[in-house]
Amino acid sequence: MVRGEQQEELMSRILAVGTVLPPFRISQTEANVLAGRHFGSRMEKLKRYLTVFDNALVDQRFFCVAPEWLLSEHRISETNQIYLEYAKELACKATVLCLNRAGVKPEHVDRIIFVSSSGIATPSLDVDVISKVGLRTNVRRTPIFGLGCAGGASGVSLAGAICRATSERVLLIAVELTLAE
């Protein structure tokens, strides 16, 4: 939750963060082994790519499906359905947590920036958040799709720019789930 404030200069600040994690947790070492098994012979120079697990400074990773699920092939419709189910749930829970921590009522949010590249939803899942969390029906919406890992950082940058230019309260929701290669 970011808010623009009128002062000598227009500034923005992060009021709160709400983080909700999927139910399956594995260590970074286990994730490395899983990635090796998942990609197997499909990637040339796989061992070189797997070194990212040794250098990422990440202790654990979270999944909305059992890690073994990733080892078999799945239709895009199946993976997208799982994405829709979990992304909606996680986005709503994170939104409520963030707004509570910020002390902001849902009806006081002026804009939602919704970032996700893990699945496809038209309209984007912020529409579900609006109705389930009780945001105003006229809240401004800015969905961002296709930026992958950089999406969250781009969303923060955009939220800051909006807040520096206006006095809007901006809610940034970023949902990324590992379901497909």
Side-chain angles (χ1 to χ4, degrees), residues 9 41 70 82 94 96 98 102 108 110 127 131 141 147 159 173:
E9 282 184 41
S41 62
L70 297 167
I82 292 169
V96 169
C98 181
H108 293 152
D110 300 305
V127 171
S131 64
R141 300 175 48 239
L147 296 179
I173 305 169

Short mmCIF file of all heavy atoms in Angstrom, two decimals, residues 9 41 70 82 94 96 98 102 108 110 127 131 141 147 159 173:
data_model
loop_
_atom_site.label_atom_id
_atom_site.label_comp_id
_atom_site.label_asym_id
_atom_site.label_seq_id
_atom_site.Cartn_x
_atom_site.Cartn_y
_atom_site.Cartn_z
N GLU A 9 7.25 18.98 -1.35
CA GLU A 9 7.36 18.17 -2.56
C GLU A 9 6.41 17.00 -2.39
O GLU A 9 6.23 16.51 -1.30
CB GLU A 9 8.78 17.61 -2.70
CG GLU A 9 9.80 18.58 -3.21
CD GLU A 9 11.13 17.88 -3.41
OE1 GLU A 9 11.14 16.73 -3.91
OE2 GLU A 9 12.14 18.48 -3.07
N SER A 41 17.00 -33.53 -19.60
CA SER A 41 17.77 -33.44 -20.84
C SER A 41 17.20 -32.38 -21.80
O SER A 41 17.71 -32.21 -22.89
CB SER A 41 17.77 -34.81 -21.54
OG SER A 41 16.44 -35.16 -21.85
N LEU A 70 5.20 -30.76 -10.55
CA LEU A 70 5.96 -30.10 -11.61
C LEU A 70 6.75 -31.07 -12.48
O LEU A 70 7.24 -30.69 -13.54
CB LEU A 70 6.91 -29.07 -11.01
CG LEU A 70 6.22 -27.92 -10.26
CD1 LEU A 70 7.23 -27.14 -9.45
CD2 LEU A 70 5.49 -27.02 -11.22
N ILE A 82 -5.36 -23.78 -12.05
CA ILE A 82 -4.72 -23.78 -10.73
C ILE A 82 -4.25 -22.36 -10.40
O ILE A 82 -4.41 -21.88 -9.27
CB ILE A 82 -3.58 -24.80 -10.68
CG1 ILE A 82 -4.14 -26.22 -10.77
CG2 ILE A 82 -2.74 -24.63 -9.41
CD1 ILE A 82 -3.10 -27.30 -11.00
N ALA A 94 -3.61 -11.38 0.90
CA ALA A 94 -2.52 -10.40 1.02
C ALA A 94 -3.08 -8.98 1.07
O ALA A 94 -2.57 -8.13 1.81
CB ALA A 94 -1.54 -10.55 -0.13
N VAL A 96 -6.09 -7.95 2.20
CA VAL A 96 -6.71 -7.72 3.50
C VAL A 96 -5.62 -7.50 4.55
O VAL A 96 -5.71 -6.56 5.37
CB VAL A 96 -7.64 -8.89 3.89
CG1 VAL A 96 -8.08 -8.80 5.34
CG2 VAL A 96 -8.85 -8.92 2.96
N CYS A 98 -2.51 -6.44 4.13
CA CYS A 98 -1.85 -5.17 3.86
C CYS A 98 -2.70 -3.98 4.31
O CYS A 98 -2.20 -3.07 4.98
CB CYS A 98 -1.51 -5.07 2.38
SG CYS A 98 -0.66 -3.54 1.94
N ALA A 102 -1.87 -1.28 7.23
CA ALA A 102 -1.76 0.14 6.87
C ALA A 102 -2.81 0.98 7.58
O ALA A 102 -2.71 2.21 7.60
CB ALA A 102 -1.89 0.31 5.36
N HIS A 108 -11.06 3.24 0.72
CA HIS A 108 -10.15 4.39 0.59
C HIS A 108 -9.02 4.16 -0.40
O HIS A 108 -8.18 5.05 -0.59
CB HIS A 108 -9.59 4.77 1.96
CG HIS A 108 -10.63 5.32 2.88
ND1 HIS A 108 -10.56 5.21 4.25
CD2 HIS A 108 -11.81 5.95 2.62
CE1 HIS A 108 -11.62 5.75 4.79
NE2 HIS A 108 -12.40 6.22 3.82
N ASP A 110 -7.52 4.17 -3.96
CA ASP A 110 -7.85 4.91 -5.18
C ASP A 110 -7.46 4.16 -6.45
O ASP A 110 -8.07 4.34 -7.49
CB ASP A 110 -7.13 6.27 -5.18
CG ASP A 110 -7.55 7.12 -4.00
OD1 ASP A 110 -8.77 7.34 -3.83
OD2 ASP A 110 -6.66 7.55 -3.24
N VAL A 127 -10.06 -7.60 -10.50
CA VAL A 127 -11.53 -7.47 -10.49
C VAL A 127 -12.11 -8.34 -9.38
O VAL A 127 -13.03 -7.93 -8.67
CB VAL A 127 -12.11 -7.85 -11.87
CG1 VAL A 127 -13.62 -7.94 -11.83
CG2 VAL A 127 -11.67 -6.83 -12.91
N SER A 131 -14.19 -7.03 -5.76
CA SER A 131 -15.49 -7.48 -5.25
C SER A 131 -15.37 -8.24 -3.93
O SER A 131 -16.20 -8.06 -3.05
CB SER A 131 -16.20 -8.33 -6.30
OG SER A 131 -15.48 -9.52 -6.55
N ARG A 141 -7.80 0.93 -12.15
CA ARG A 141 -7.11 -0.36 -12.30
C ARG A 141 -5.97 -0.23 -13.30
O ARG A 141 -6.15 0.33 -14.38
CB ARG A 141 -8.08 -1.43 -12.81
CG ARG A 141 -9.26 -1.68 -11.91
CD ARG A 141 -10.25 -2.65 -12.51
NE ARG A 141 -9.60 -3.84 -13.04
CZ ARG A 141 -9.69 -4.23 -14.32
NH1 ARG A 141 -10.40 -3.55 -15.19
NH2 ARG A 141 -9.06 -5.32 -14.72
N LEU A 147 5.93 -9.16 -17.48
CA LEU A 147 7.26 -8.71 -17.09
C LEU A 147 8.03 -9.74 -16.28
O LEU A 147 9.19 -9.51 -15.94
CB LEU A 147 7.17 -7.38 -16.32
CG LEU A 147 6.62 -6.20 -17.11
CD1 LEU A 147 6.56 -4.96 -16.23
CD2 LEU A 147 7.44 -5.94 -18.35
N ALA A 159 3.92 2.64 -8.91
CA ALA A 159 3.15 3.13 -7.76
C ALA A 159 3.79 4.40 -7.19
O ALA A 159 3.09 5.37 -6.89
CB ALA A 159 3.06 2.05 -6.69
N ILE A 173 -0.52 -5.18 -5.98
CA ILE A 173 -0.66 -6.62 -5.73
C ILE A 173 0.20 -7.33 -6.76
O ILE A 173 0.02 -7.14 -7.97
CB ILE A 173 -2.13 -7.09 -5.88
CG1 ILE A 173 -3.05 -6.29 -4.98
CG2 ILE A 173 -2.24 -8.58 -5.61
CD1 ILE A 173 -4.53 -6.53 -5.26
#
